Amino acid sequence: MTTRYITTPIYYLNGEPHLGHVYTTVAADVLARYWRLAGARVKFLTGTDEHGQKVAQAAEAAGENPKAYADKMVALFLEMTEKINASYDVFLRTTEERHHLAAQALWKKLEDAGQIYQSTYAGWYAVRDEAYYEESEIVEGRAPTGAPVEWMEEASYFFRLSAWERPLLDYYEAHPQAIAPIGRRNEVLSFIKGGLRDLSISRTKFDWGVAVPGDPHHVMYVWIDALTNYITALGYPDVDGEEFQEFWPESLHLLGKDILRFHAVYWPAFLMAADIPPPKRIFSHGWWTHDGEKMSKSLGNVVDPFALIDTYGLDSLRYFLMREVPFGQDGNFSEDALIQRINSDLANDLGNLAQRVLSFAYKNGGGQISSPEEFSREDRELLAKAAHLHEILHNDMDSQALQAYCRHIWDVVGEANRYVDVQKPWSLKKSSDPQDLVRMGTVLYVLMEVIRHVAIYTQPLMPEASAKILDQLGQSERTFEALKTPLKAGTPLSEPFPVFPRIA
Ligand code: ME8
């Protein structure tokens, strides 16, 4: 049986969830739902990154101890995850005991393998990025990301990252699909080729983190702790366990381009050093701006996803996020663009198709799916296009081409709308020739079969709206397997109603 392990980053708790977090989690959810409908065994992991200086400082600013602060903030992320209908299997908090145990087990494994040594770190650190920077990277007193940096000097454990330069390059050469899109893969390769320095992996100036085994004056650097979450959720250190064996070889990490280096350089190096294969694939998506500007709290232009959902509906937002921008590229959010997508793709294209066909069929076809007579060439062509989606969409999802997935479905929606205009079932209805009424039944059957395909395939994108269409069509079998059997004539239809209202 096919398996899929799909992860989101675990989000920092220093602020409220925003559109960027929603984006990655929706993308992961679309993939998870697709693979479940395809019959795969799926594990979908998300969660929160609760340790480190950034969260500790946010807690301090709120006048709370870090654990109490984390317990309060995590509720907002859980609420977001529920509100966007993310079908996660595990929501992991790094403050959970099982995670502390997993992170410490990984540390011990690295230590036993001679990968960790003690020294002193002296250099730049950006709390906002939870990242170390080289002197050469600092521009006008800031990190390349624009984050303020501070000079740090403290006793620290180091990981022998420099030893993994060659093995990483060899690994990526042997696994060209391990980092996507290709441009990001090239960035990672040139970063590694530029030379890797050993990485400081512990801190002593604060204690909000996982204690270093055997040396509790140190807490682990938040990134070694955070990255471990992906294997904690599979029962690490039990690498021989069923969960680990089944899911780790099929791992897919989704993340924004901001944190590619941590995932594509540090994480595979830690794993290889601990005798664990690197993740199968890392997909790094682009960055959303708002009305052309970077979203930031100080600019006061962070997009609040909850308000959008309340105004426009969840499924419309999910569709927009997947359709608007090729997955992997940067995009710009504007309310106008959202409204335009809703009105054109959802209300006009899909909504109209479903509404006009289903209400016509309900009224004029005895409230049930009509029986087809002989199919014409046009009928067969349209049915073949719908049937062919199976293969096209599988390839899209296998390469995380989420926008292409939408476009390919909408190509068929467009064909179906043109078919309605050409076949004119309403004219056939008015004809006095009894053959025309038979033909009307066939045309409606073809259209309902195409709508069934479309609504089954839109389930990962828009679970609730698709369910409404399938309810109206009287379909209870909704997996891709169901599409192997032709639509059954005689199935009762439910009273139709519009699923995608236009936004005025
Ligand atoms: O980096 N556009 O957490 P984080 C697109 N805790 N995606 C965006 C975005 C935007 N404008 N803003 C945020 C962390 N994201 C670490 C991760 S994983 C082991 C640890 C998304 O709360 C995107 O997925 O800063 C990005 O990578 C993530 O949120 C960063 O979330």
Side-chain angles (χ1 to χ4, degrees):
M1 191 188 216
T2 327
T3 54
R4 288 284 187 278
Y5 182 41
I6 301 164
T7 69
T8 72
I10 46 172
Y11 304 114
Y12 287 129
L13 290 179
N14 65 310
E16 290 177 13
H18 59 71
L19 192 72
H21 305 125
V22 165
Y23 183 53
T24 319
T25 304
V26 167
D29 186 53
V30 170
L31 288 160
R33 286 176 186 271
Y34 175 88
W35 290 113
R36 285 191 205 108
L37 289 167
R41 243 173 83 78
V42 173
K43 191 180 278 289
F44 169 11
L45 168 70
T46 188
T48 43
D49 189 354
E50 308 198 357
H51 296 130
Q53 216 173 350
K54 174 155 149 160
V55 173
Q57 284 181 357
E60 198 180 327
E64 289 176 72
N65 79 54
K67 181 66 169 78
Y69 175 79
D71 288 344
K72 184 182 76 184
M73 295 302 287
V74 76
L76 301 178
F77 280 83
L78 269 167
E79 188 190 348
M80 170 197 96
T81 313
E82 299 287 341
K83 191 147 179 173
I84 61 179
N85 206 355
S87 58
Y88 64 92
D89 297 295
V90 185
F91 188 103
L92 189 138
R93 302 181 59 184
T94 53
T95 46
E96 288 173 45
E97 195 193 354
R98 63 172 169 155
H99 177 70
H100 279 238
L101 295 175
Q104 290 176 330
L106 180 67
W107 182 288
K108 280 199 211 114
K109 177 97 188 161
L110 295 174
E111 197 169 42
D112 291 348
Q115 296 291 328
I116 293 179
Y117 63 92
Q118 213 171 357
S119 182
T120 305
Y121 178 81
W124 297 103
Y125 191 79
V127 176
R128 197 170 90 188
D129 303 339
E130 296 282 21
Y132 302 94
Y133 288 103
E134 300 288 332
E135 183 70 51
S136 58
E137 293 179 289
I138 306 300
V139 183
E140 291 174 8
R142 286 181 180 267
T145 56
V149 289
E150 58 195 58
W151 186 256
M152 208 176 90
E153 258 185 72
E154 59 189 61
S156 174
Y157 287 94
F158 282 75
F159 170 72
R160 296 189 193 280
L161 184 63
S162 57
W164 293 92
E165 218 172 285
R166 196 66 250 165
L168 280 168
L169 290 172
D170 291 345
Y171 179 81
Y172 285 131
E173 192 171 326
H175 299 85
Q177 303 296 326
I179 306 171
I182 183 110
R184 297 272 152 70
R185 170 187 152 86
N186 294 339
E187 275 170 35
V188 169
L189 294 183
S190 64
F191 177 76
I192 300 171
K193 285 177 187 155
L196 299 178
R197 287 224 217 169
D198 289 351
L199 180 71
S200 160
I201 51 166
S202 75
R203 301 290 310 270
T204 51
K205 294 271 165 66
F206 62 91
D207 62 3
W208 180 234
V210 180
V212 165
D215 194 349
H217 296 304
H218 289 253
V219 290
M220 293 183 195
Y221 170 40
V222 66
W223 270 102
I224 187 168
D225 149 11
L227 289 160
T228 307
N229 95 89
Y230 299 128
I231 54 175
T232 303
L234 298 182
Y236 187 80
D238 183 10
V239 290
D240 298 321
E242 202 186 310
E243 287 272 288
F244 199 92
Q245 290 285 322
E246 189 172 2
F247 289 106
W248 185 248
E250 290 303 327
S251 44
L252 167 65
H253 295 326
L254 301 186
L255 42 119
K257 63 181 185 179
D258 53 322
I259 54 175
L260 178 59
R261 192 180 293 185
F262 302 96
H263 284 81
V265 181
Y266 302 168
W267 181 224
F270 296 153
L271 289 168
M272 287 198 271
D275 285 331
I276 300 171
K280 183 177 186 192
R281 188 160 157 102
I282 294 169
F283 194 104
S284 161
H285 64 68
W287 207 243
W288 283 93
T289 52
H290 182 201
D291 293 333
E293 296 202 68
K294 188 178 159 74
M295 273 185 252
S296 87
K297 276 199 191 140
S298 49
L299 288 171
N301 67 346
V302 176
V303 179
D304 172 5
F306 293 172
L308 289 177
I309 292 168
D310 292 342
T311 311
Y312 300 104
L314 171 64
D315 281 353
S316 304
L317 179 65
R318 288 174 58 112
Y319 173 74
F320 170 83
L321 292 174
M322 298 300 105
R323 173 63 185 83
E324 192 66 6
V325 178
F327 199 53
Q329 290 180 25
D330 291 341
N332 180 48
F333 176 84
S334 78
E335 218 156 314
D336 286 347
L338 172 62
I339 293 171
Q340 212 190 321
R341 274 277 164 223
I342 294 174
N343 286 343
S344 69
D345 298 17
L346 300 181
N348 278 0
D349 298 345
L350 177 55
N352 249 341
L353 174 69
Q355 172 69 8
R356 63 183 175 156
V357 170
L358 294 174
S359 51
F360 187 83
Y362 188 74
K363 275 195 215 114
N364 302 297
Q368 59 179 30
I369 293 176
S370 46
S371 312
E373 290 297 321
E374 208 176 319
F375 289 130
S376 68
R377 185 172 53 82
E378 289 88 345
D379 300 345
R380 280 196 302 270
E381 274 174 12
L382 184 57
L383 289 170
K385 278 186 181 128
H388 192 42
L389 279 177
H390 176 71
E391 191 188 328
I392 298 177
L393 298 179
H394 181 96
N395 291 337
D396 290 339
M397 285 308 208
D398 231 9
S399 54
Q400 297 84 42
L402 297 167
Q403 188 204 46
Y405 183 87
C406 302
R407 276 195 287 103
H408 288 134
I409 298 174
W410 259 256
D411 285 347
V412 173
V413 170
E415 294 287 341
N417 272 320
R418 277 188 288 281
Y419 173 93
V420 182
D421 294 341
V422 173
Q423 302 296 328
K424 298 192 177 47
W426 51 88
S427 304
L428 295 169
K429 160 95 189 22
K430 285 186 204 135
S431 160
S432 52
D433 181 348
Q435 273 310 311
D436 283 343
L437 270 191
V438 173
R439 176 69 194 144
M440 180 189 86
T442 305
V443 166
L444 290 177
Y445 177 89
V446 169
L447 284 163
M448 287 189 277
E449 177 62 311
V450 172
I451 293 171
R452 178 175 75 120
H453 277 71
V454 166
I456 283 183
Y457 288 127
T458 53
Q459 291 177 99
L461 301 164
M462 303 185 289
E464 285 173 0
S466 311
K468 285 180 191 161
I469 298 175
L470 291 166
D471 286 347
Q472 296 179 31
L473 260 178
Q475 302 301 305
S476 53
E477 296 296 324
R478 297 176 178 191
T479 65
F480 303 151
E481 182 70 22
L483 293 173
K484 290 188 178 154
T485 319
L487 181 67
K488 229 172 116 211
T491 310
L493 299 170
S494 300
E495 181 147 13
F497 58 90
V499 175
F500 301 108
R502 267 189 85 80
I503 310 285

